[in-house]
Amino acid sequence: MPTRTRALGLAAAVALLAASVLTLSCLRRPVVLFDGRSEFNGRVIVTEHRGERSLRFSPDGARQSVIRPGAPLLLALPYTRSAMVALALVPEPRRVLIIGLGGGAMAMFLRALFPEAEIDGVDIDPQVIAV
């Protein structure tokens, strides 16, 4: 019996440790990678949290763009996925214009799928392009 009690105690300790690590990783605050002034948006803020980089225009503002470095086929925001419906009309685009570059999620997605396509991204805010 002592061996079984010891094994159960060890299993409980491992489960408690795993739950603690998971809880701490969920509570970890986003890391600010960039926070700068913008003539057009007031501020441009880039944070990283749980492997995702987000572009915002205020600390508590909506995410304008989300990328996961190394995973260009991930379109995390619904509007970016919706925009790709256009590929149903032009399944092999040769030229693409993205108005409102943001964090470049759509540009990276299109580059991964269509490496030969000419992709231009424009944004009114030079700070967004610089970031």
PDB file of all heavy atoms in Angstrom, residues 77-119:
ATOM      1  N   LEU A  77      -7.600  36.822 -37.383  1.00  0.00           N
ATOM      2  CA  LEU A  77      -8.765  37.699 -37.284  1.00  0.00           C
ATOM      3  C   LEU A  77      -9.798  37.378 -38.364  1.00  0.00           C
ATOM      4  O   LEU A  77      -9.440  37.123 -39.518  1.00  0.00           O
ATOM      5  CB  LEU A  77      -8.332  39.160 -37.383  1.00  0.00           C
ATOM      6  CG  LEU A  77      -7.402  39.627 -36.265  1.00  0.00           C
ATOM      7  CD1 LEU A  77      -7.027  41.095 -36.456  1.00  0.00           C
ATOM      8  CD2 LEU A  77      -8.041  39.425 -34.900  1.00  0.00           C
ATOM      9  N   PRO A  78     -11.078  37.409 -38.008  1.00  0.00           N
ATOM     10  CA  PRO A  78     -12.128  37.050 -38.975  1.00  0.00           C
ATOM     11  C   PRO A  78     -12.110  37.879 -40.261  1.00  0.00           C
ATOM     12  O   PRO A  78     -12.344  37.341 -41.344  1.00  0.00           O
ATOM     13  CB  PRO A  78     -13.427  37.294 -38.197  1.00  0.00           C
ATOM     14  CG  PRO A  78     -13.038  37.135 -36.758  1.00  0.00           C
ATOM     15  CD  PRO A  78     -11.624  37.656 -36.673  1.00  0.00           C
ATOM     16  N   TYR A  79     -11.813  39.177 -40.169  1.00  0.00           N
ATOM     17  CA  TYR A  79     -11.853  39.994 -41.389  1.00  0.00           C
ATOM     18  C   TYR A  79     -10.773  39.566 -42.380  1.00  0.00           C
ATOM     19  O   TYR A  79     -10.979  39.657 -43.595  1.00  0.00           O
ATOM     20  CB  TYR A  79     -11.757  41.493 -41.081  1.00  0.00           C
ATOM     21  CG  TYR A  79     -10.370  42.039 -40.913  1.00  0.00           C
ATOM     22  CD1 TYR A  79      -9.657  42.513 -42.017  1.00  0.00           C
ATOM     23  CD2 TYR A  79      -9.756  42.093 -39.669  1.00  0.00           C
ATOM     24  CE1 TYR A  79      -8.375  43.017 -41.882  1.00  0.00           C
ATOM     25  CE2 TYR A  79      -8.480  42.601 -39.520  1.00  0.00           C
ATOM     26  CZ  TYR A  79      -7.793  43.061 -40.626  1.00  0.00           C
ATOM     27  OH  TYR A  79      -6.517  43.550 -40.481  1.00  0.00           O
ATOM     28  N   THR A  80      -9.642  39.072 -41.893  1.00  0.00           N
ATOM     29  CA  THR A  80      -8.598  38.636 -42.819  1.00  0.00           C
ATOM     30  C   THR A  80      -9.017  37.351 -43.532  1.00  0.00           C
ATOM     31  O   THR A  80      -8.762  37.194 -44.726  1.00  0.00           O
ATOM     32  CB  THR A  80      -7.243  38.429 -42.102  1.00  0.00           C
ATOM     33  OG1 THR A  80      -7.388  37.492 -41.030  1.00  0.00           O
ATOM     34  CG2 THR A  80      -6.716  39.738 -41.549  1.00  0.00           C
ATOM     35  N   ARG A  81      -9.670  36.458 -42.800  1.00  0.00           N
ATOM     36  CA  ARG A  81     -10.171  35.224 -43.441  1.00  0.00           C
ATOM     37  C   ARG A  81     -11.253  35.566 -44.461  1.00  0.00           C
ATOM     38  O   ARG A  81     -11.293  35.003 -45.551  1.00  0.00           O
ATOM     39  CB  ARG A  81     -10.691  34.255 -42.378  1.00  0.00           C
ATOM     40  CG  ARG A  81      -9.582  33.680 -41.499  1.00  0.00           C
ATOM     41  CD  ARG A  81     -10.086  32.556 -40.615  1.00  0.00           C
ATOM     42  NE  ARG A  81     -11.137  32.941 -39.694  1.00  0.00           N
ATOM     43  CZ  ARG A  81     -10.944  33.413 -38.468  1.00  0.00           C
ATOM     44  NH1 ARG A  81      -9.706  33.574 -38.010  1.00  0.00           N
ATOM     45  NH2 ARG A  81     -11.963  33.713 -37.695  1.00  0.00           N
ATOM     46  N   SER A  82     -12.143  36.496 -44.102  1.00  0.00           N
ATOM     47  CA  SER A  82     -13.225  36.896 -45.023  1.00  0.00           C
ATOM     48  C   SER A  82     -12.674  37.502 -46.302  1.00  0.00           C
ATOM     49  O   SER A  82     -13.205  37.264 -47.392  1.00  0.00           O
ATOM     50  CB  SER A  82     -14.148  37.910 -44.341  1.00  0.00           C
ATOM     51  OG  SER A  82     -14.784  37.322 -43.241  1.00  0.00           O
ATOM     52  N   ALA A  83     -11.603  38.291 -46.182  1.00  0.00           N
ATOM     53  CA  ALA A  83     -11.016  38.929 -47.365  1.00  0.00           C
ATOM     54  C   ALA A  83     -10.495  37.891 -48.364  1.00  0.00           C
ATOM     55  O   ALA A  83     -10.479  38.140 -49.570  1.00  0.00           O
ATOM     56  CB  ALA A  83      -9.898  39.882 -46.954  1.00  0.00           C
ATOM     57  N   MET A  84     -10.102  36.736 -47.881  1.00  0.00           N
ATOM     58  CA  MET A  84      -9.550  35.714 -48.768  1.00  0.00           C
ATOM     59  C   MET A  84     -10.622  35.000 -49.585  1.00  0.00           C
ATOM     60  O   MET A  84     -10.316  34.224 -50.479  1.00  0.00           O
ATOM     61  CB  MET A  84      -8.716  34.709 -47.972  1.00  0.00           C
ATOM     62  CG  MET A  84      -7.459  35.308 -47.359  1.00  0.00           C
ATOM     63  SD  MET A  84      -6.416  36.151 -48.571  1.00  0.00           S
ATOM     64  CE  MET A  84      -6.463  37.824 -47.957  1.00  0.00           C
ATOM     65  N   VAL A  85     -11.892  35.311 -49.335  1.00  0.00           N
ATOM     66  CA  VAL A  85     -12.976  34.780 -50.165  1.00  0.00           C
ATOM     67  C   VAL A  85     -12.787  35.225 -51.608  1.00  0.00           C
ATOM     68  O   VAL A  85     -13.192  34.538 -52.548  1.00  0.00           O
ATOM     69  CB  VAL A  85     -14.353  35.225 -49.605  1.00  0.00           C
ATOM     70  CG1 VAL A  85     -15.473  34.911 -50.569  1.00  0.00           C
ATOM     71  CG2 VAL A  85     -14.594  34.552 -48.269  1.00  0.00           C
ATOM     72  N   ALA A  86     -12.124  36.355 -51.805  1.00  0.00           N
ATOM     73  CA  ALA A  86     -11.859  36.855 -53.161  1.00  0.00           C
ATOM     74  C   ALA A  86     -11.072  35.835 -53.987  1.00  0.00           C
ATOM     75  O   ALA A  86     -11.146  35.854 -55.222  1.00  0.00           O
ATOM     76  CB  ALA A  86     -11.100  38.175 -53.093  1.00  0.00           C
ATOM     77  N   LEU A  87     -10.356  34.946 -53.334  1.00  0.00           N
ATOM     78  CA  LEU A  87      -9.603  33.926 -54.073  1.00  0.00           C
ATOM     79  C   LEU A  87     -10.538  32.957 -54.808  1.00  0.00           C
ATOM     80  O   LEU A  87     -10.103  32.272 -55.733  1.00  0.00           O
ATOM     81  CB  LEU A  87      -8.667  33.169 -53.133  1.00  0.00           C
ATOM     82  CG  LEU A  87      -7.530  34.006 -52.555  1.00  0.00           C
ATOM     83  CD1 LEU A  87      -6.747  33.211 -51.515  1.00  0.00           C
ATOM     84  CD2 LEU A  87      -6.609  34.500 -53.666  1.00  0.00           C
ATOM     85  N   ALA A  88     -11.801  32.923 -54.432  1.00  0.00           N
ATOM     86  CA  ALA A  88     -12.767  32.097 -55.165  1.00  0.00           C
ATOM     87  C   ALA A  88     -13.002  32.664 -56.561  1.00  0.00           C
ATOM     88  O   ALA A  88     -13.292  31.932 -57.499  1.00  0.00           O
ATOM     89  CB  ALA A  88     -14.092  32.027 -54.407  1.00  0.00           C
ATOM     90  N   LEU A  89     -12.842  33.981 -56.696  1.00  0.00           N
ATOM     91  CA  LEU A  89     -13.034  34.629 -58.000  1.00  0.00           C
ATOM     92  C   LEU A  89     -11.756  34.648 -58.826  1.00  0.00           C
ATOM     93  O   LEU A  89     -11.813  34.629 -60.057  1.00  0.00           O
ATOM     94  CB  LEU A  89     -13.540  36.055 -57.802  1.00  0.00           C
ATOM     95  CG  LEU A  89     -14.865  36.181 -57.049  1.00  0.00           C
ATOM     96  CD1 LEU A  89     -15.183  37.641 -56.777  1.00  0.00           C
ATOM     97  CD2 LEU A  89     -15.975  35.501 -57.824  1.00  0.00           C
ATOM     98  N   VAL A  90     -10.623  34.730 -58.146  1.00  0.00           N
ATOM     99  CA  VAL A  90      -9.324  34.757 -58.827  1.00  0.00           C
ATOM    100  C   VAL A  90      -8.427  33.734 -58.115  1.00  0.00           C
ATOM    101  O   VAL A  90      -7.649  34.082 -57.227  1.00  0.00           O
ATOM    102  CB  VAL A  90      -8.685  36.167 -58.780  1.00  0.00           C
ATOM    103  CG1 VAL A  90      -7.387  36.199 -59.577  1.00  0.00           C
ATOM    104  CG2 VAL A  90      -9.648  37.222 -59.268  1.00  0.00           C
ATOM    105  N   PRO A  91      -8.544  32.470 -58.482  1.00  0.00           N
ATOM    106  CA  PRO A  91      -7.820  31.422 -57.749  1.00  0.00           C
ATOM    107  C   PRO A  91      -6.302  31.454 -57.896  1.00  0.00           C
ATOM    108  O   PRO A  91      -5.597  30.905 -57.060  1.00  0.00           O
ATOM    109  CB  PRO A  91      -8.406  30.123 -58.297  1.00  0.00           C
ATOM    110  CG  PRO A  91      -9.063  30.480 -59.579  1.00  0.00           C
ATOM    111  CD  PRO A  91      -9.410  31.931 -59.521  1.00  0.00           C
ATOM    112  N   GLU A  92      -5.774  32.090 -58.933  1.00  0.00           N
ATOM    113  CA  GLU A  92      -4.325  32.194 -59.141  1.00  0.00           C
ATOM    114  C   GLU A  92      -3.953  33.649 -59.405  1.00  0.00           C
ATOM    115  O   GLU A  92      -3.619  34.018 -60.543  1.00  0.00           O
ATOM    116  CB  GLU A  92      -3.877  31.312 -60.316  1.00  0.00           C
ATOM    117  CG  GLU A  92      -3.982  29.830 -60.066  1.00  0.00           C
ATOM    118  CD  GLU A  92      -2.970  29.333 -59.044  1.00  0.00           C
ATOM    119  OE1 GLU A  92      -1.853  29.879 -58.978  1.00  0.00           O
ATOM    120  OE2 GLU A  92      -3.314  28.385 -58.314  1.00  0.00           O
ATOM    121  N   PRO A  93      -3.992  34.500 -58.389  1.00  0.00           N
ATOM    122  CA  PRO A  93      -3.707  35.920 -58.631  1.00  0.00           C
ATOM    123  C   PRO A  93      -2.257  36.152 -59.041  1.00  0.00           C
ATOM    124  O   PRO A  93      -1.348  35.487 -58.544  1.00  0.00           O
ATOM    125  CB  PRO A  93      -3.996  36.568 -57.276  1.00  0.00           C
ATOM    126  CG  PRO A  93      -3.789  35.478 -56.287  1.00  0.00           C
ATOM    127  CD  PRO A  93      -4.206  34.219 -56.975  1.00  0.00           C
ATOM    128  N   ARG A  94      -2.079  37.066 -59.989  1.00  0.00           N
ATOM    129  CA  ARG A  94      -0.730  37.445 -60.418  1.00  0.00           C
ATOM    130  C   ARG A  94      -0.299  38.756 -59.770  1.00  0.00           C
ATOM    131  O   ARG A  94       0.875  38.974 -59.534  1.00  0.00           O
ATOM    132  CB  ARG A  94      -0.666  37.555 -61.936  1.00  0.00           C
ATOM    133  CG  ARG A  94      -0.680  36.181 -62.595  1.00  0.00           C
ATOM    134  CD  ARG A  94      -0.629  36.289 -64.093  1.00  0.00           C
ATOM    135  NE  ARG A  94      -2.047  36.406 -64.507  1.00  0.00           N
ATOM    136  CZ  ARG A  94      -2.462  37.064 -65.556  1.00  0.00           C
ATOM    137  NH1 ARG A  94      -1.615  37.659 -66.347  1.00  0.00           N
ATOM    138  NH2 ARG A  94      -3.747  37.123 -65.848  1.00  0.00           N
ATOM    139  N   ARG A  95      -1.274  39.637 -59.493  1.00  0.00           N
ATOM    140  CA  ARG A  95      -1.005  40.920 -58.845  1.00  0.00           C
ATOM    141  C   ARG A  95      -2.056  41.144 -57.772  1.00  0.00           C
ATOM    142  O   ARG A  95      -3.237  40.898 -57.998  1.00  0.00           O
ATOM    143  CB  ARG A  95      -1.056  42.074 -59.843  1.00  0.00           C
ATOM    144  CG  ARG A  95       0.072  41.989 -60.865  1.00  0.00           C
ATOM    145  CD  ARG A  95       0.233  43.256 -61.625  1.00  0.00           C
ATOM    146  NE  ARG A  95       0.744  44.279 -60.689  1.00  0.00           N
ATOM    147  CZ  ARG A  95       0.817  45.564 -60.981  1.00  0.00           C
ATOM    148  NH1 ARG A  95       0.401  46.004 -62.139  1.00  0.00           N
ATOM    149  NH2 ARG A  95       1.305  46.421 -60.118  1.00  0.00           N
ATOM    150  N   VAL A  96      -1.590  41.627 -56.617  1.00  0.00           N
ATOM    151  CA  VAL A  96      -2.499  41.870 -55.500  1.00  0.00           C
ATOM    152  C   VAL A  96      -2.147  43.214 -54.881  1.00  0.00           C
ATOM    153  O   VAL A  96      -0.961  43.531 -54.690  1.00  0.00           O
ATOM    154  CB  VAL A  96      -2.360  40.773 -54.411  1.00  0.00           C
ATOM    155  CG1 VAL A  96      -3.282  41.050 -53.237  1.00  0.00           C
ATOM    156  CG2 VAL A  96      -2.621  39.390 -54.991  1.00  0.00           C
ATOM    157  N   LEU A  97      -3.164  44.000 -54.570  1.00  0.00           N
ATOM    158  CA  LEU A  97      -2.988  45.258 -53.860  1.00  0.00           C
ATOM    159  C   LEU A  97      -3.713  45.144 -52.525  1.00  0.00           C
ATOM    160  O   LEU A  97      -4.911  44.850 -52.491  1.00  0.00           O
ATOM    161  CB  LEU A  97      -3.554  46.438 -54.650  1.00  0.00           C
ATOM    162  CG  LEU A  97      -3.572  47.790 -53.929  1.00  0.00           C
ATOM    163  CD1 LEU A  97      -2.162  48.232 -53.558  1.00  0.00           C
ATOM    164  CD2 LEU A  97      -4.272  48.838 -54.784  1.00  0.00           C
ATOM    165  N   ILE A  98      -2.989  45.359 -51.448  1.00  0.00           N
ATOM    166  CA  ILE A  98      -3.577  45.336 -50.110  1.00  0.00           C
ATOM    167  C   ILE A  98      -3.582  46.770 -49.598  1.00  0.00           C
ATOM    168  O   ILE A  98      -2.518  47.368 -49.400  1.00  0.00           O
ATOM    169  CB  ILE A  98      -2.782  44.416 -49.158  1.00  0.00           C
ATOM    170  CG1 ILE A  98      -2.772  42.985 -49.702  1.00  0.00           C
ATOM    171  CG2 ILE A  98      -3.375  44.467 -47.745  1.00  0.00           C
ATOM    172  CD1 ILE A  98      -1.837  42.048 -48.976  1.00  0.00           C
ATOM    173  N   ILE A  99      -4.768  47.311 -49.396  1.00  0.00           N
ATOM    174  CA  ILE A  99      -4.898  48.680 -48.897  1.00  0.00           C
ATOM    175  C   ILE A  99      -5.135  48.585 -47.400  1.00  0.00           C
ATOM    176  O   ILE A  99      -6.147  48.031 -46.954  1.00  0.00           O
ATOM    177  CB  ILE A  99      -6.053  49.421 -49.600  1.00  0.00           C
ATOM    178  CG1 ILE A  99      -5.767  49.470 -51.112  1.00  0.00           C
ATOM    179  CG2 ILE A  99      -6.218  50.816 -49.017  1.00  0.00           C
ATOM    180  CD1 ILE A  99      -6.891  50.025 -51.939  1.00  0.00           C
ATOM    181  N   GLY A 100      -4.198  49.116 -46.636  1.00  0.00           N
ATOM    182  CA  GLY A 100      -4.224  48.961 -45.185  1.00  0.00           C
ATOM    183  C   GLY A 100      -3.360  47.772 -44.814  1.00  0.00           C
ATOM    184  O   GLY A 100      -3.856  46.695 -44.503  1.00  0.00           O
ATOM    185  N   LEU A 101      -2.061  47.941 -44.876  1.00  0.00           N
ATOM    186  CA  LEU A 101      -1.118  46.835 -44.679  1.00  0.00           C
ATOM    187  C   LEU A 101      -1.184  46.249 -43.280  1.00  0.00           C
ATOM    188  O   LEU A 101      -1.122  45.034 -43.102  1.00  0.00           O
ATOM    189  CB  LEU A 101       0.304  47.316 -44.981  1.00  0.00           C
ATOM    190  CG  LEU A 101       1.400  46.268 -44.837  1.00  0.00           C
ATOM    191  CD1 LEU A 101       1.201  45.132 -45.818  1.00  0.00           C
ATOM    192  CD2 LEU A 101       2.750  46.919 -45.038  1.00  0.00           C
ATOM    193  N   GLY A 102      -1.330  47.100 -42.266  1.00  0.00           N
ATOM    194  CA  GLY A 102      -1.361  46.599 -40.895  1.00  0.00           C
ATOM    195  C   GLY A 102      -0.097  45.834 -40.562  1.00  0.00           C
ATOM    196  O   GLY A 102       1.007  46.252 -40.899  1.00  0.00           O
ATOM    197  N   GLY A 103      -0.252  44.692 -39.924  1.00  0.00           N
ATOM    198  CA  GLY A 103       0.891  43.861 -39.548  1.00  0.00           C
ATOM    199  C   GLY A 103       1.356  42.934 -40.643  1.00  0.00           C
ATOM    200  O   GLY A 103       2.309  42.172 -40.458  1.00  0.00           O
ATOM    201  N   GLY A 104       0.691  42.961 -41.787  1.00  0.00           N
ATOM    202  CA  GLY A 104       1.129  42.158 -42.929  1.00  0.00           C
ATOM    203  C   GLY A 104       0.609  40.730 -42.952  1.00  0.00           C
ATOM    204  O   GLY A 104       1.102  39.911 -43.725  1.00  0.00           O
ATOM    205  N   ALA A 105      -0.399  40.408 -42.145  1.00  0.00           N
ATOM    206  CA  ALA A 105      -0.910  39.036 -42.098  1.00  0.00           C
ATOM    207  C   ALA A 105      -1.391  38.561 -43.468  1.00  0.00           C
ATOM    208  O   ALA A 105      -1.062  37.455 -43.901  1.00  0.00           O
ATOM    209  CB  ALA A 105      -2.032  38.930 -41.066  1.00  0.00           C
ATOM    210  N   MET A 106      -2.177  39.404 -44.144  1.00  0.00           N
ATOM    211  CA  MET A 106      -2.704  38.987 -45.444  1.00  0.00           C
ATOM    212  C   MET A 106      -1.594  38.900 -46.487  1.00  0.00           C
ATOM    213  O   MET A 106      -1.593  37.990 -47.324  1.00  0.00           O
ATOM    214  CB  MET A 106      -3.815  39.926 -45.901  1.00  0.00           C
ATOM    215  CG  MET A 106      -5.084  39.758 -45.077  1.00  0.00           C
ATOM    216  SD  MET A 106      -6.527  40.610 -45.741  1.00  0.00           S
ATOM    217  CE  MET A 106      -6.109  42.304 -45.406  1.00  0.00           C
ATOM    218  N   ALA A 107      -0.643  39.817 -46.445  1.00  0.00           N
ATOM    219  CA  ALA A 107       0.480  39.775 -47.390  1.00  0.00           C
ATOM    220  C   ALA A 107       1.297  38.501 -47.199  1.00  0.00           C
ATOM    221  O   ALA A 107       1.680  37.842 -48.179  1.00  0.00           O
ATOM    222  CB  ALA A 107       1.355  41.013 -47.221  1.00  0.00           C
ATOM    223  N   MET A 108       1.559  38.125 -45.948  1.00  0.00           N
ATOM    224  CA  MET A 108       2.333  36.897 -45.687  1.00  0.00           C
ATOM    225  C   MET A 108       1.555  35.650 -46.109  1.00  0.00           C
ATOM    226  O   MET A 108       2.133  34.700 -46.650  1.00  0.00           O
ATOM    227  CB  MET A 108       2.713  36.823 -44.212  1.00  0.00           C
ATOM    228  CG  MET A 108       3.785  37.836 -43.841  1.00  0.00           C
ATOM    229  SD  MET A 108       4.383  37.664 -42.151  1.00  0.00           S
ATOM    230  CE  MET A 108       3.098  38.520 -41.269  1.00  0.00           C
ATOM    231  N   PHE A 109       0.259  35.661 -45.876  1.00  0.00           N
ATOM    232  CA  PHE A 109      -0.595  34.548 -46.278  1.00  0.00           C
ATOM    233  C   PHE A 109      -0.542  34.366 -47.800  1.00  0.00           C
ATOM    234  O   PHE A 109      -0.306  33.267 -48.307  1.00  0.00           O
ATOM    235  CB  PHE A 109      -2.034  34.828 -45.814  1.00  0.00           C
ATOM    236  CG  PHE A 109      -3.038  33.803 -46.235  1.00  0.00           C
ATOM    237  CD1 PHE A 109      -3.231  32.659 -45.475  1.00  0.00           C
ATOM    238  CD2 PHE A 109      -3.812  33.987 -47.373  1.00  0.00           C
ATOM    239  CE1 PHE A 109      -4.181  31.717 -45.852  1.00  0.00           C
ATOM    240  CE2 PHE A 109      -4.752  33.054 -47.762  1.00  0.00           C
ATOM    241  CZ  PHE A 109      -4.936  31.905 -46.999  1.00  0.00           C
ATOM    242  N   LEU A 110      -0.751  35.471 -48.519  1.00  0.00           N
ATOM    243  CA  LEU A 110      -0.738  35.409 -49.984  1.00  0.00           C
ATOM    244  C   LEU A 110       0.637  35.029 -50.525  1.00  0.00           C
ATOM    245  O   LEU A 110       0.737  34.267 -51.498  1.00  0.00           O
ATOM    246  CB  LEU A 110      -1.212  36.739 -50.566  1.00  0.00           C
ATOM    247  CG  LEU A 110      -2.692  37.048 -50.328  1.00  0.00           C
ATOM    248  CD1 LEU A 110      -2.994  38.500 -50.649  1.00  0.00           C
ATOM    249  CD2 LEU A 110      -3.578  36.103 -51.132  1.00  0.00           C
ATOM    250  N   ARG A 111       1.703  35.536 -49.919  1.00  0.00           N
ATOM    251  CA  ARG A 111       3.061  35.191 -50.361  1.00  0.00           C
ATOM    252  C   ARG A 111       3.313  33.698 -50.189  1.00  0.00           C
ATOM    253  O   ARG A 111       3.927  33.046 -51.037  1.00  0.00           O
ATOM    254  CB  ARG A 111       4.101  36.004 -49.580  1.00  0.00           C
ATOM    255  CG  ARG A 111       5.554  35.609 -49.826  1.00  0.00           C
ATOM    256  CD  ARG A 111       6.051  35.788 -51.254  1.00  0.00           C
ATOM    257  NE  ARG A 111       5.957  37.178 -51.628  1.00  0.00           N
ATOM    258  CZ  ARG A 111       5.503  37.596 -52.819  1.00  0.00           C
ATOM    259  NH1 ARG A 111       5.141  36.746 -53.744  1.00  0.00           N
ATOM    260  NH2 ARG A 111       5.427  38.867 -53.107  1.00  0.00           N
ATOM    261  N   ALA A 112       2.826  33.121 -49.085  1.00  0.00           N
ATOM    262  CA  ALA A 112       3.025  31.686 -48.846  1.00  0.00           C
ATOM    263  C   ALA A 112       2.282  30.849 -49.884  1.00  0.00           C
ATOM    264  O   ALA A 112       2.794  29.823 -50.337  1.00  0.00           O
ATOM    265  CB  ALA A 112       2.562  31.314 -47.437  1.00  0.00           C
ATOM    266  N   LEU A 113       1.086  31.291 -50.292  1.00  0.00           N
ATOM    267  CA  LEU A 113       0.302  30.524 -51.257  1.00  0.00           C
ATOM    268  C   LEU A 113       0.680  30.796 -52.706  1.00  0.00           C
ATOM    269  O   LEU A 113       0.586  29.901 -53.553  1.00  0.00           O
ATOM    270  CB  LEU A 113      -1.189  30.837 -51.078  1.00  0.00           C
ATOM    271  CG  LEU A 113      -1.843  30.293 -49.815  1.00  0.00           C
ATOM    272  CD1 LEU A 113      -3.310  30.708 -49.768  1.00  0.00           C
ATOM    273  CD2 LEU A 113      -1.716  28.786 -49.736  1.00  0.00           C
ATOM    274  N   PHE A 114       1.086  32.035 -52.981  1.00  0.00           N
ATOM    275  CA  PHE A 114       1.366  32.446 -54.358  1.00  0.00           C
ATOM    276  C   PHE A 114       2.724  33.148 -54.431  1.00  0.00           C
ATOM    277  O   PHE A 114       2.802  34.370 -54.583  1.00  0.00           O
ATOM    278  CB  PHE A 114       0.250  33.382 -54.865  1.00  0.00           C
ATOM    279  CG  PHE A 114      -1.120  32.818 -54.675  1.00  0.00           C
ATOM    280  CD1 PHE A 114      -1.940  33.285 -53.665  1.00  0.00           C
ATOM    281  CD2 PHE A 114      -1.586  31.794 -55.487  1.00  0.00           C
ATOM    282  CE1 PHE A 114      -3.204  32.760 -53.466  1.00  0.00           C
ATOM    283  CE2 PHE A 114      -2.850  31.255 -55.302  1.00  0.00           C
ATOM    284  CZ  PHE A 114      -3.662  31.730 -54.294  1.00  0.00           C
ATOM    285  N   PRO A 115       3.802  32.405 -54.327  1.00  0.00           N
ATOM    286  CA  PRO A 115       5.135  33.015 -54.275  1.00  0.00           C
ATOM    287  C   PRO A 115       5.502  33.813 -55.521  1.00  0.00           C
ATOM    288  O   PRO A 115       6.346  34.709 -55.448  1.00  0.00           O
ATOM    289  CB  PRO A 115       6.087  31.832 -54.072  1.00  0.00           C
ATOM    290  CG  PRO A 115       5.295  30.619 -54.391  1.00  0.00           C
ATOM    291  CD  PRO A 115       3.856  30.956 -54.225  1.00  0.00           C
ATOM    292  N   GLU A 116       4.863  33.532 -56.643  1.00  0.00           N
ATOM    293  CA  GLU A 116       5.178  34.248 -57.882  1.00  0.00           C
ATOM    294  C   GLU A 116       4.357  35.525 -58.054  1.00  0.00           C
ATOM    295  O   GLU A 116       4.644  36.335 -58.932  1.00  0.00           O
ATOM    296  CB  GLU A 116       4.963  33.331 -59.094  1.00  0.00           C
ATOM    297  CG  GLU A 116       5.813  32.064 -59.065  1.00  0.00           C
ATOM    298  CD  GLU A 116       7.308  32.370 -59.057  1.00  0.00           C
ATOM    299  OE1 GLU A 116       7.750  33.270 -59.803  1.00  0.00           O
ATOM    300  OE2 GLU A 116       8.029  31.703 -58.286  1.00  0.00           O
ATOM    301  N   ALA A 117       3.337  35.711 -57.242  1.00  0.00           N
ATOM    302  CA  ALA A 117       2.460  36.876 -57.391  1.00  0.00           C
ATOM    303  C   ALA A 117       3.188  38.155 -56.965  1.00  0.00           C
ATOM    304  O   ALA A 117       4.041  38.147 -56.081  1.00  0.00           O
ATOM    305  CB  ALA A 117       1.204  36.698 -56.546  1.00  0.00           C
ATOM    306  N   GLU A 118       2.832  39.245 -57.609  1.00  0.00           N
ATOM    307  CA  GLU A 118       3.349  40.564 -57.236  1.00  0.00           C
ATOM    308  C   GLU A 118       2.365  41.143 -56.217  1.00  0.00           C
ATOM    309  O   GLU A 118       1.186  41.351 -56.534  1.00  0.00           O
ATOM    310  CB  GLU A 118       3.431  41.453 -58.477  1.00  0.00           C
ATOM    311  CG  GLU A 118       4.143  42.747 -58.238  1.00  0.00           C
ATOM    312  CD  GLU A 118       4.314  43.531 -59.533  1.00  0.00           C
ATOM    313  OE1 GLU A 118       4.528  42.906 -60.597  1.00  0.00           O
ATOM    314  OE2 GLU A 118       4.225  44.761 -59.456  1.00  0.00           O
ATOM    315  N   ILE A 119       2.840  41.365 -55.000  1.00  0.00           N
ATOM    316  CA  ILE A 119       1.978  41.821 -53.915  1.00  0.00           C
ATOM    317  C   ILE A 119       2.445  43.189 -53.452  1.00  0.00           C
ATOM    318  O   ILE A 119       3.606  43.362 -53.074  1.00  0.00           O
ATOM    319  CB  ILE A 119       2.004  40.827 -52.731  1.00  0.00           C
ATOM    320  CG1 ILE A 119       1.545  39.450 -53.207  1.00  0.00           C
ATOM    321  CG2 ILE A 119       1.143  41.336 -51.580  1.00  0.00           C
ATOM    322  CD1 ILE A 119       1.763  38.340 -52.198  1.00  0.00           C
TER     323      ILE A 119
END
